[in-house]
Amino acid sequence: MHQDSHLAPTSDQSAFPGNARTHAPYADALQAAAERDSLFLSTPGHGGTTTGISAGQAEFFGEHILSLDIPPLFDGIDLGVDTPKDEALQLAAEAWGARRTWFLTNGSSQGNRMTALAIGTLGTGVVTQRSAHSSFIDGIVMAGLNPGFVSPNVDEVNGIAHGVTPDSLRHAIASHPEKVTAVYLVTPSYFGAVADVRALAEVAHDAGAALIIDAAWGAHFGFHPDLPESPVTLGADIVIMSTHKLAGSFTQSALLHLGDTEFANRLEPALARAFMMTASTSENAHLLASIDIARRDLVNSHDAISDSLENIRQIRARIEGSEHYHLLSGDFMNHADVVDIDPFRLPIDITSTGLDGHAVRKRLTEDFDIFAEMATSTTIVALIGVGKSPDLSRLFDALDQMRLENNSSETAEATTKPAGIPALPNAGKLITLPRDAYFADSELVSAAEAVGRTSVSSLAAYPPGIPNVLPGEEITAETVEFLQAVAASPSGHVRGAVDPQLSTFRVLKD
Ligand SMILES: Cc1ncc(COP(=O)(O)O)c(C=O)c1O
């Protein structure tokens, strides 16, 4: 599957002990508690019963879901020592190759904020990939970090940010005015490009900095010989993963792993404190159980992933055999930062149809009830859930229908109208530390007046949620133009905007 298979596969399902394959200790304990006839004179208010005001909940969600909604610190589940929850966490750590793992109920977003708070104990100088998710930028504000940036390789034509090369990381660390004590990088990318974690860890560690990998999109790595290795085993000190994205757990559930490294040992107590600061004291049992079950299923997933990969091979062959569509990931390996590709992402180039990717995605949703993960002007990205083998004929039939309609003169104008989103803008200069900008006096100005001023907000085009403007950064004319175009596009949304059209911006007071 991989064009360059120099990363040796590590996944060996027989390496997982029997109980890892048969048990989901937290979920099993939850189930046992739910089956008891307990009288709850405690939270949650619905008491696990369907009576009275809870009838509506029961009718909508089913009685089983109510009975499983058991609060934390429950005898036999997570109260005391050596609990089923502890066992579930240990099995997760073993499955991903970590020394210790935390279950997160507020997504990788929580993991990113936890991480920023924890690395603040090493120092304030960090180098972060400029295409970091907005939750890490929020973490920079919370922890008062002083970020230097390393730019990802960018495919300008397709509007795709890839990863970072070891050389560009070395250069960014050397260029930062403050001693760099941590590096934060994202791999795999939103489009499935995988960076060389082992080499990047070497660069970070040689410079005396911890390496954090945001692998929100890579929770399935390491669970099959034909998938990239789990980044936890490649020398990273902290790895964050959204199990909900591709690996089958419920939305909002995620993991934070600690590597088996010296930095990991130093960061562990700070991470434990940061976890308490970022998690609810009433973590949701459904989310926790769904991580436990997803781990058990991944451990047993070899055959399902093999089937998925065979299905994906057929889809790829269909795309490559077509004169109209093209899979962009085939070209990713030409980029210096990319050493592997996640096969579960299908970035499909649709330019030969004359249609704009954003408009196609919108029409797929509205007219065909098909939801593609994202679009750029040239591309739609289809995501296949791990262990799934969907029939994509419906997608290709829809694309063909749109392409044919587009070629008929009556409708051509309506459907070929490009979304007109300009190229990804360069980042503005960092004028003030993000935390200082966040807490400073601010004022609201028009978009025209905002150019040249310092933003107090993080503004991120969605998807993928990568901030185009950080708190403390100068707002440039090209960024205003880009964000307004995104906001006006069919499925565009800018997180952090004062108003949906971006006609005003919140900036530092003069
Ligand atoms: C690279 C990256 N990190 C973190 C996140 C946040 O993940 P979550 O939605 O699980 O909070 C995302 C979300 O898309 C992401 O793309």
Side-chain angles (χ1 to χ4, degrees):
M1 177 59 59
H2 311 301
Q3 285 79 347
D4 177 348
S5 299
H6 78 269
L7 291 177
T10 54
S11 134
D12 171 9
Q13 308 264 311
S14 62
F16 295 116
N19 67 337
R21 308 184 63 157
T22 53
H23 284 61
Y26 178 86
D28 296 343
L30 197 64
Q31 172 82 26
E35 282 168 2
R36 279 159 38 189
D37 186 23
S38 310
L39 171 63
F40 284 103
L41 304 173
S42 59
T43 60
H46 61 66
T49 71
T50 62
T51 56
I53 199 172
S54 302
Q57 300 281 356
E59 195 184 336
F60 190 80
F61 291 111
E63 188 175 351
H64 190 52
I65 289 188
L66 281 186
S67 64
L68 289 171
D69 188 15
I70 290 176
L73 300 180
F74 196 89
D75 209 13
I77 299 181
D78 61 345
L79 184 65
V81 290
D82 295 333
T83 63
K85 186 176 178 194
D86 293 331
E87 199 189 332
L89 289 166
Q90 182 57 31
L91 288 174
E94 284 162 18
W96 274 275
R99 194 166 68 63
R100 179 174 175 185
T101 292
W102 279 264
F103 287 177
L104 309 177
T105 53
N106 200 15
S108 286
S109 300
Q110 181 189 350
N112 279 340
R113 296 188 189 107
M114 261 175 85
T115 296
L117 289 167
I119 59 178
T121 60
L122 300 176
T124 53
V126 296
V127 162
T128 173
Q129 188 165 326
R130 184 58 185 77
S131 48
H133 188 257
S134 54
S135 51
F136 186 68
I137 305 303
D138 295 344
I140 286 178
V141 170
M142 290 162 74
L145 304 179
N146 173 12
F149 298 104
V150 54
S151 298
N153 274 332
V154 174
D155 170 352
E156 303 275 359
V157 177
N158 296 299
I160 295 177
H162 289 298
V164 163
T165 60
D167 274 348
S168 52
L169 177 60
R170 201 175 287 114
H171 180 72
I173 293 174
S175 313
H176 196 42
E178 190 178 336
K179 158 87 183 135
V180 173
T181 46
V183 168
Y184 172 92
L185 302 174
V186 181
T187 182
S189 73
Y190 206 12
F191 294 80
V194 181
D196 191 346
V197 175
R198 205 188 292 279
L200 292 161
E202 224 172 276
V203 171
H205 292 160
D206 283 353
L211 177 67
I212 321 308
I213 293 294
D214 179 341
W217 294 99
H220 51 301
F221 286 9
F223 285 95
H224 191 279
D226 289 343
L227 289 176
E229 286 178 76
S230 163
V232 195
T233 61
L234 297 173
D237 303 293
I238 295 176
V239 176
I240 300 125
M241 292 176 166
S242 293
T243 38
H244 73 86
K245 287 194 190 297
L246 277 86
S249 66
F250 285 177
T251 296
Q252 217 171 308
S253 58
L255 297 170
L256 185 142
H257 303 291
L258 205 53
D260 202 0
T261 65
E262 211 178 296
F263 270 117
N265 291 344
R266 285 171 61 189
L267 287 164
E268 185 171 3
L271 277 169
R273 291 199 305 270
F275 175 76
M276 284 193 292
M277 288 174 72
T278 54
S280 165
T281 49
S282 313
E283 282 196 294
N284 177 270
H286 303 116
L287 295 180
L288 297 173
S290 95
I291 302 174
D292 196 20
I293 293 166
R295 188 271 315 146
R296 186 192 60 195
D297 292 347
L298 282 169
V299 162
N300 290 310
S301 66
H302 182 274
D303 292 352
I305 293 182
S306 294
D307 290 349
S308 279
L309 291 172
E310 180 48 37
N311 183 50
I312 289 167
R313 256 174 228 123
Q314 286 171 16
I315 295 167
R316 289 172 73 108
R318 178 170 180 173
I319 297 172
E320 294 308 356
S322 138
E323 57 183 297
H324 303 296
Y325 314 114
H326 167 63
L327 210 53
L328 283 182
S329 40
D331 309 330
F332 285 178
M333 295 299 285
N334 300 330
H335 288 257
D337 60 287
V338 184
V339 295
D340 214 335
I341 288 164
D342 178 6
F344 285 88
R345 304 250 145 178
L346 298 171
I348 305 169
D349 179 339
I350 50 151
T351 42
S352 66
T353 67
L355 301 168
D356 175 84
H358 300 277
V360 167
R361 181 169 175 247
K362 185 165 190 272
R363 273 209 62 200
L364 282 174
T365 304
E366 288 178 355
D367 298 346
F368 299 93
D369 208 15
I370 297 174
F371 293 83
E373 174 64 24
M374 75 167 295
T376 70
S377 296
T378 63
T379 310
I380 59 160
V381 182
L383 178 160
I384 312 286
V386 170
K388 302 277 184 176
S389 300
D391 179 2
L392 261 57
S393 300
R394 190 166 149 196
L395 171 68
F396 292 111
D397 289 348
L399 288 175
D400 285 344
Q401 187 179 324
M402 279 187 266
R403 179 174 49 78
L404 293 171
E405 279 173 17
N406 187 53
N407 291 337
S408 83
S409 52
E410 285 100 275
T411 55
E413 211 197 321
T415 51
T416 56
K417 206 181 273 172
I421 296 183
L424 274 174
N426 290 321
K429 236 176 98 189
L430 191 71
I431 311 287
T432 309
L433 284 185
R435 183 182 173 91
D436 293 345
Y438 179 87
F439 285 111
D441 284 346
S442 65
E443 61 184 329
L444 213 53
V445 297
S446 71
E449 289 167 325
V451 173
R453 301 284 297 272
T454 304
S455 177
V456 299
S457 317
S458 178
L459 301 172
Y462 251 84
I466 295 168
N468 308 96
V469 181
L470 308 187
E473 250 178 25
E474 183 181 341
I475 299 171
T476 65
E478 57 170 346
T479 306
V480 171
E481 192 196 345
F482 174 81
L483 292 174
Q484 287 183 334
V486 168
S489 73
S491 48
H493 164 69
V494 177
R495 181 179 185 253
V498 179
D499 64 87
Q501 290 80 34
L502 285 102
S503 50
T504 52
F505 286 72
R506 187 158 286 282
V507 298
L508 279 191
K509 213 168 189 153
D510 264 343

